[in-house]
Amino acid sequence: MKVKVLYFAKLRELFGMENEELELPGERAHAAAVVDLLRKRGEPWSKALALDAGYRMAVNQTLAGLVTPVQDGDEIAIFPPVTGG
Amino acid sequence: MKVKVLYFAKLRELFGMENEELELPGERAHAAAVVDLLRKRGEPWSKALALDAGYRMAVNQTLAGLVTPVQDGDEIAIFPPVTGG
Amino acid sequence: MMQLKILVGESDFDPGAEIAALYTGRPEVGAVASFVGLVRDINDGNSVTTLTLEHYPAMTEKSLREIADEAMGRWRLLDVTVIHRVGRLMPQDRIVFVGVASMHRGDAFAACEFIMDYLKTRAPFWKKERTPEGERWVEARGSDDDAAMRWEKQDGK
Amino acid sequence: MMQLKILVGESDFDPGAEIAALYTGRPEVGAVASFVGLVRDINDGNSVTTLTLEHYPAMTEKSLREIADEAMGRWRLLDVTVIHRVGRLMPQDRIVFVGVASMHRGDAFAACEFIMDYLKTRAPFWKKERTPEGERWVEARGSDDDAAMRWEKQDGK
């Protein structure tokens, strides 16, 4: 399955990209699988996406957690805590 | 001692006056003494100023209770619960 | 510098202009919470054609000032405006404006609601409605007492 | 009829006009609570020269709509407007407007503050400040999480 991953704000700058396509094994997974794959790249991914790093996620434009299901074609966004308003 | 008593809203209409001067014995009293004097007039005063009638008072333009001290020259207002805003 | 503006009278007011006055030229203001109260055409099931607001002139501004001062003591505020109209009003007319400027929104929201809750239960205004069935004095609501009471409980904070 | 207006973009807005739109021609509206958020010239001790707001366009309006819908489910509201600017702003510029019209003030105040608290913790906006020392991303505040959390406790009411 393929998913699109988007990065915003500090993470967009840190990773040096706005978005990318990721290939994951199988037809269904949890959002955690996306994060695991990114962490395996090492720094800066491993640190910025560590369990205690405080990043946030959305799946298909809705706030999500590590156990949120993802499937082929989904849009996954990874970003720091929001600071609007 | 003399005090000025003001009435507002429903009580102004019920008593048929906006204000009056009252003569009280002594130099100092509690606001209760003013109410007692008015109640002795009978209806409609006795009913409108009964203990459970829910009227409000101010002494010299500050919300007051029955034990608030009053003295010569004070302005005492008696009115229904407020309904502004 | 803390500011305070209190107005009581028959004149209408412009909520947008009042809000702008709370922050224009003051770059330390990050938050403005405000409230506009309006005459409704229906109250307690009866249609309202006019609303007359009576007040106790010698006490009204004093009481609003005390309420605003109390708010300024409880929260970190930069500016407060309270405007209350009196006299004869029609449905859709503006009655009351409360605006509060602060650095952060929490203070602005709390103070704005506090001022309205206290104004509703402590400021000497009385409403008389004209309906097709005649005139009647508006009765005070227990819910307004409850709203004001919430702030008493927080005195110890 | 319940109404809802959500705007996200670079354009400025007029708080007075937005407030008027919430009650003009709607005689059932008795209360309008509103909030204006502004760029301050000092944040966490540093002077701010410009503020850039990034957002997640595909999600932003959707998220604001969900927050407003949630408010409309919790309180009796007649109209809600939420406006949030993005792009480059200067101190004193308006950032955000939330306005809520209701029959009574309690609903309007609660919903307005709820929407701001949820917007602050759930809507995908990020602020970057330019200061004399350089650029920095604004850090989220724990106090904003606490403010949003208050509303969770009330779910059972």
Side-chain angles (χ1 to χ4, degrees):
Chain A
M1 63 186 264
K2 260 189 191 157
V3 296
K4 188 174 180 183
V5 187
L6 281 65
Y7 308 109
F8 290 97
K10 200 178 201 167
L11 296 185
R12 173 179 53 73
E13 289 182 349
L14 186 67
F15 301 156
M17 64 175 89
E18 293 188 1
N19 61 72
E20 62 181 312
E21 296 245 317
L22 275 190
E23 183 86 42
L24 292 168
E27 287 302 304
R28 297 175 162 281
H30 289 137
V34 177
V35 177
D36 286 341
L37 195 64
L38 295 171
R39 272 204 214 104
K40 287 193 182 123
R41 293 174 176 174
E43 290 281 358
W45 309 82
S46 52
K47 199 166 174 182
L49 302 179
L51 269 177
D52 61 352
Y55 65 91
R56 299 285 188 273
M57 298 175 76
V59 173
N60 297 329
Q61 302 90 41
T62 295
L63 289 178
L66 289 171
V67 297
T68 302
V70 298
Q71 58 184 7
D72 189 62
D74 279 355
E75 177 173 295
I76 290 129
I78 304 181
F79 44 76
V82 302
T83 57
Chain B
M1 64 187 263
K2 260 188 192 157
V3 297
K4 189 173 181 186
V5 187
L6 280 66
Y7 308 108
F8 290 97
K10 200 178 200 167
L11 295 184
R12 174 179 53 75
E13 288 182 349
L14 187 66
F15 300 156
M17 63 176 88
E18 294 187 2
N19 60 74
E20 62 179 314
E21 296 243 320
L22 276 191
E23 183 84 44
L24 292 169
E27 287 302 305
R28 299 175 161 281
H30 289 139
V34 177
V35 178
D36 285 342
L37 195 65
L38 295 170
R39 272 204 215 103
K40 288 193 181 121
R41 295 174 174 172
E43 289 281 359
W45 309 83
S46 53
K47 198 166 175 182
L49 301 179
L51 269 176
D52 61 350
Y55 64 92
R56 299 286 188 273
M57 298 175 76
V59 174
N60 297 330
Q61 302 89 42
T62 296
L63 289 179
L66 289 172
V67 297
T68 302
V70 297
Q71 57 184 8
D72 189 62
D74 279 354
E75 177 172 295
I76 290 129
I78 304 182
F79 43 78
V82 301
T83 55
Chain C
M1 195 187 58
M2 220 155 65
Q3 298 191 352
L4 174 58
K5 172 179 169 183
I6 308 277
L7 280 180
V8 178
E10 298 196 0
S11 311
D12 195 9
F13 55 84
D14 175 349
E18 296 302 334
I19 290 171
L22 288 166
Y23 62 75
T24 304
R26 307 192 69 187
E28 70 274 29
V29 173
V32 175
S34 66
F35 180 82
V36 178
L38 303 139
V39 182
R40 297 193 302 135
D41 63 347
I42 303 275
N43 191 28
D44 289 338
N46 284 75
S47 67
V48 175
T49 54
T50 63
L51 182 73
T52 305
L53 268 144
E54 177 171 334
H55 72 131
Y56 176 6
M59 178 174 168
T60 316
E61 283 195 33
K62 182 172 179 264
S63 122
L64 295 178
R65 191 169 300 273
E66 283 166 2
I67 293 167
D69 283 343
E70 173 74 23
M72 286 174 156
R74 291 191 185 207
W75 294 280
R76 291 187 66 187
L77 310 181
L78 294 165
D79 205 340
V80 173
T81 296
V82 181
I83 303 174
H84 202 297
R85 296 177 70 187
V86 294
R88 234 161 78 107
L89 301 173
M90 313 284 284
Q92 297 208 55
D93 278 351
R94 290 173 277 263
I95 306 173
V96 60
F97 175 86
V98 175
V100 175
S102 185
M103 288 194 293
H104 302 293
R105 76 185 186 288
D107 291 324
F109 271 120
C112 189
E113 191 167 13
F114 168 87
I115 291 170
M116 274 307 302
D117 286 346
Y118 267 41
L119 183 157
K120 279 263 181 187
T121 51
R122 301 188 174 203
F125 296 100
W126 300 272
K127 284 179 185 149
K128 191 177 202 175
E129 292 173 340
R130 180 179 290 279
T131 73
E133 291 78 41
E135 287 198 316
R136 60 171 185 187
W137 290 99
V138 172
E139 296 285 329
R141 293 174 188 273
S143 60
D144 285 328
D145 289 327
D146 296 342
M149 201 68 93
R150 290 180 303 164
W151 303 103
E152 303 298 322
K153 290 178 194 151
Q154 295 182 10
D155 269 348
K157 83 168 178 185
Chain D
M1 193 187 61
M2 219 156 66
Q3 297 190 354
L4 174 58
K5 172 180 169 183
I6 308 278
L7 280 180
V8 178
E10 298 196 1
S11 312
D12 194 9
F13 54 84
D14 175 349
E18 296 302 334
I19 289 171
L22 288 165
Y23 62 74
T24 304
R26 308 191 69 186
E28 70 272 31
V29 173
V32 175
S34 67
F35 179 82
V36 178
L38 302 138
V39 182
R40 296 193 303 135
D41 63 347
I42 302 275
N43 192 27
D44 289 337
N46 285 75
S47 67
V48 175
T49 54
T50 62
L51 182 74
T52 305
L53 268 145
E54 177 171 335
H55 72 131
Y56 176 5
M59 180 175 168
T60 317
E61 282 195 33
K62 181 172 181 264
S63 121
L64 295 178
R65 192 169 297 274
E66 283 165 2
I67 293 167
D69 283 344
E70 174 74 23
M72 287 174 155
R74 290 191 185 208
W75 294 280
R76 291 188 66 188
L77 310 181
L78 293 165
D79 205 340
V80 174
T81 296
V82 182
I83 303 175
H84 203 297
R85 295 176 72 188
V86 293
R88 236 161 78 107
L89 301 173
M90 314 285 285
Q92 297 208 56
D93 279 351
R94 290 173 276 263
I95 306 173
V96 61
F97 174 86
V98 175
V100 176
S102 185
M103 289 193 292
H104 303 292
R105 76 184 187 289
D107 290 324
F109 271 120
C112 189
E113 190 167 13
F114 169 87
I115 290 170
M116 273 307 302
D117 286 346
Y118 266 43
L119 183 157
K120 279 264 182 186
T121 51
R122 299 188 176 204
F125 296 100
W126 299 273
K127 284 180 183 146
K128 191 176 201 175
E129 293 173 339
R130 179 179 291 278
T131 74
E133 291 77 42
E135 288 198 316
R136 61 173 184 186
W137 289 98
V138 173
E139 296 284 329
R141 292 173 189 273
S143 59
D144 285 328
D145 289 328
D146 296 343
M149 201 68 92
R150 291 178 303 164
W151 304 104
E152 302 299 321
K153 291 179 194 150
Q154 295 182 10
D155 269 349
K157 83 168 178 187

